[in-house]
């Protein structure tokens, strides 16, 4: 099973913390969508899109990367860190139009936020992602990758 995580983490590196922990623990390749615009993803079995949330959306570079590079019928998952810790993956919908991906799961957690007025109060969710957020993300990834491998066993 060949996995990759495409990420954008431009505010405090919050999302990158999660991505790096998964990459280290499970040997997953990563690519920073704010720098790399094109990549052949056809040989990857599992593709993660990881991003901080900016104005309610995954980073523009992630959306553009998915639009340009994601082949049809891939197994994918989402990771995000945000001030509100909600599921913002609907913001990927347009980028995934016509690609018919199989979404295996979504993980989100709080991320330290000092955007705009929040800076004046020292930010929100300071210290996040914390160790527990990272442990939960690792458990999430383990489950997703096992599901992906089981699909391959059947095929
Ligand atoms: C310009 C900007 C806009 C943001 N908009 C939102 C938002 O709409 N909803 C939310 O929950 N968090 C929002 N946040 C908070 C970030 O999503 C949060 O801090 C996230 O963990 C940043 O991830 P990063 O450090 O990986 O970039 C925003 C932060 C910035 C800098």
């Amino acid at each position: 099973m060949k996995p990759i995580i495409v990420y954008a983490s431009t505010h405090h590196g919050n999302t990158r913390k999660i991505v790096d922990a998964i990459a280290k623990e499970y040997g997953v390749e990563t690519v920073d969508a704010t720098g790399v615009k094109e990549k052949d993803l056809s040989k990857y079995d599992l593709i993660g899109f990881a991003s901080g949330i900016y104005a309610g959306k995954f980073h523009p570079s992630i959306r553009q990367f998915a639009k340009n590079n994601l082949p049809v019928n891939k197994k994918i998952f989402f990771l995000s860190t945000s001030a509100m810790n909600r599921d913002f993956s609907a913001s990927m919908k347009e980028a995934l139009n016509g690609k018919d991906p199989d979404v295996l799961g979504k993980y989100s957690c709080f991320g330290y936020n000092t955007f705009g007025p929040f800076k004046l109060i020292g930010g929100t969710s300071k210290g996040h992602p914390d160790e527990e957020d990272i442990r939960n993300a690792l458990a999430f990834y383990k489950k997703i990758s096992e599901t992906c491998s089981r699909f391959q066993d059947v095929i």
Side-chain angles (χ1 to χ4, degrees):
M1 206 267 295
K2 197 171 164 56
I4 188 167
I5 300 177
V6 183
Y7 70 92
S9 183
T10 58
H11 188 34
H12 285 293
N14 297 331
T15 312
R16 175 92 196 256
K17 267 191 210 162
I18 300 275
V19 171
D20 283 352
I22 293 173
K24 191 168 165 220
E25 183 79 17
Y26 295 103
V28 180
E29 185 179 340
T30 63
V31 55
D32 182 350
T34 64
V36 177
K37 301 297 164 201
E38 287 192 8
K39 188 164 176 70
D40 178 7
L41 296 179
S42 57
K43 60 182 184 291
Y44 295 91
D45 308 299
L46 179 62
I47 300 161
F49 292 102
S51 182
I53 298 302
Y54 318 93
K57 295 180 176 177
F58 274 51
H59 195 273
S61 67
I62 289 284
R63 289 182 278 132
Q64 197 59 46
F65 191 101
K67 198 170 185 168
N68 291 349
N69 300 300
L70 183 68
V72 293
N73 292 328
K74 283 291 184 183
K75 296 199 168 14
I76 68 169
F77 64 95
F78 299 113
L79 297 170
S80 65
T81 68
S82 63
M84 292 193 286
N85 187 14
R86 293 226 196 107
D87 174 19
F88 289 96
S89 61
S91 64
M92 291 292 288
K93 197 171 169 211
E94 198 190 322
L96 301 177
N97 204 6
K99 298 187 182 285
D100 210 14
D102 187 2
V103 181
L104 297 190
K106 302 167 187 183
Y107 177 82
S108 72
C109 69
F110 287 109
Y112 179 44
N113 171 38
T114 55
F115 177 55
F118 295 111
K119 194 172 183 173
L120 302 173
I121 55 161
T124 60
S125 299
K126 201 164 186 174
H128 287 269
D130 63 10
E131 281 180 18
E132 191 184 353
D133 297 324
I134 289 172
R135 260 199 314 277
N136 290 340
L138 291 174
F140 163 82
Y141 179 78
K142 184 169 187 279
K143 205 171 137 203
I144 291 287
S145 59
E146 284 169 357
T147 306
C148 189
S149 298
R150 270 202 302 279
F151 272 117
Q152 287 189 313
D153 289 347
V154 173
I155 295 163

